[in-house]
Amino acid sequence: MNKSIVIAGGGIGGLAAALRCAAPEVAVHVVERAKAFSEVGAGIQIGPNVTRILKAWGLGTAVQSVAAFPDFLRVRQAHSGAQIGQLRLGATAVARYGAPYATVHRADLHEVLLQAVQGQARAHLILNQDVTGFAQHTDGVLVQLSNGEPMMAKALVGADGLWSQVRAQLLGDGAPHFTGHLAYRALLLQSELPAALRTQDVTVWWGPRLHVVQYPVRRGELLNLVAIVHGPAPSDTAPWDHAANAADLARALGDVCSDLKALVEAAPAWRLWALCDRVPMRGADQQAQGAVALLGDAAHPMRPYMAQGAGMAIEDADALGRCLALPGDDVPAKLAHFAQLRWQRNARVQRKAIRNGQIFHAQGLLRWGRDTSMRLLGEGLIDVPWLYGGP
Ligand SMILES: Cc1cc2nc3c(=O)[nH]c(=O)nc-3n(C[C@H](O)[C@H](O)[C@H](O)COP(=O)(O)OP(=O)(O)OC[C@H]3O[C@@H](n4cnc5c(N)ncnc54)[C@H](O)[C@@H]3O)c2cc1C
């Protein structure tokens, strides 16, 4: 029987899946459309649920050498500057969840995964090729590539992101939709910032119809800044990245407090994302059918308000590897098991991300209730034990 697996997409999810699925008896082929592996210049937060998995994969030291490990997540009001809550991270997260809360440059995490994949004898990387389609047969999947050469595999994993072609064929459920939210991202060199703006903590600034998140990446040398505002979609929302204009952002943020204003003004360049998502998953058949599985943003694109999109892709990859390693040759049954393990948790994170957007951007009475509960209940409202303690 053909024992190879084709993975469409070599982003964080695709590489994680390659690492977890390659085995002495299983060859993995990662087909990536880009000419070279690369990741956008921006940060991501990875909770203890994710760092625990990376450590179990033997990547703890590699992650440690590139990430930052904040001691606090602070919540402040964007306009008054007042702190309304905080969550202890650092040693507290390790004591609670057995793994740290980390913040990392996407390119650094991608590179850690890439090096690990390149160290696997049975993992093969194919660049500058698109997976354009597939046909399921009784003994596997015939995968079509843009060079016209088909590949026969026992399974196809669609890790091809938000605009997944594998999903389009498998589910045929249309394009993702624009959320009405825009994300501006910037990276600032901490050594070039005034001392008062440098920080090794995560801060989330909440304001009406907006929020801003800042955290250190690359061992704390850089500060990642993400500002989310409401606004109309740019003329084309499909590409990942747009040139953005600091003046538009300043207008959208309005009269924020001087600390936040100074930080935003210190950003050397902003890049704009139109945030898209899908309705939260409704069943296991949206994660796998037959010998084809979806993983990461291809399966469950989400708003970034739980900071878990890449995290869920890594959790997916871990579960996928475990399921495919089960004894026997019934790949569709293994993928069905994988889908059962994953879809409800992915749907829950998608739902909670939508809800968080409403809470972060609250106005009027909802905002008053939010701030009052935060003051009364403290970090119990910010911590997410079901998420960080999982999967
Ligand atoms: C503003 C913002 C902030 C975020 N913050 C966080 C955070 O703090 N924490 C977190 O965990 N997540 C965060 N995320 C989410 C995270 O970035 C994504 O969930 C994650 O990158 C998804 O990874 P992926 O591998 O599934 O998809 P992608 O990273 O999109 O990778 C897909 C890959 O597939 C390739 N490809 C596409 N089509 C084809 C094809 N047909 N054939 C071959 N290759 C193909 C693409 O070139 C790409 O390399 C954030 C997202 C945004 C927008």
Side-chain angles (χ1 to χ4, degrees), residues 7-15 31-34 37-39 43-47 50 106 110 129-132 159-166 183-185 215 226 228 240 273 275 295-298 300-304 306-313:
I7 298 174
I12 288 171
L15 291 185
V31 180
E32 165 58 48
R33 76 155 43 133
F37 283 106
S38 67
E39 265 293 341
I44 50 172
Q45 305 180 62
I46 45 175
V50 185
R106 292 175 61 96
H110 192 264
Q129 288 298 326
D130 271 43
V131 168
T132 55
D160 46 349
L162 180 66
W163 305 95
S164 168
Q165 209 142 340
V166 178
Y184 290 78
R185 288 168 132 181
Y215 51 84
V226 188
I228 311 279
W240 178 230
W273 274 253
L275 296 180
L295 172 153
D297 278 5
H300 40 71
M302 58 184 74
R303 299 173 192 205
M306 288 289 282
Q308 284 282 340
M312 289 303 106

Side-chain angles (χ1 to χ4, degrees), residues 93-107:
V94 177
R96 275 186 191 150
Y97 300 115
Y101 193 102
T103 51
V104 62
H105 193 298
R106 292 175 61 96

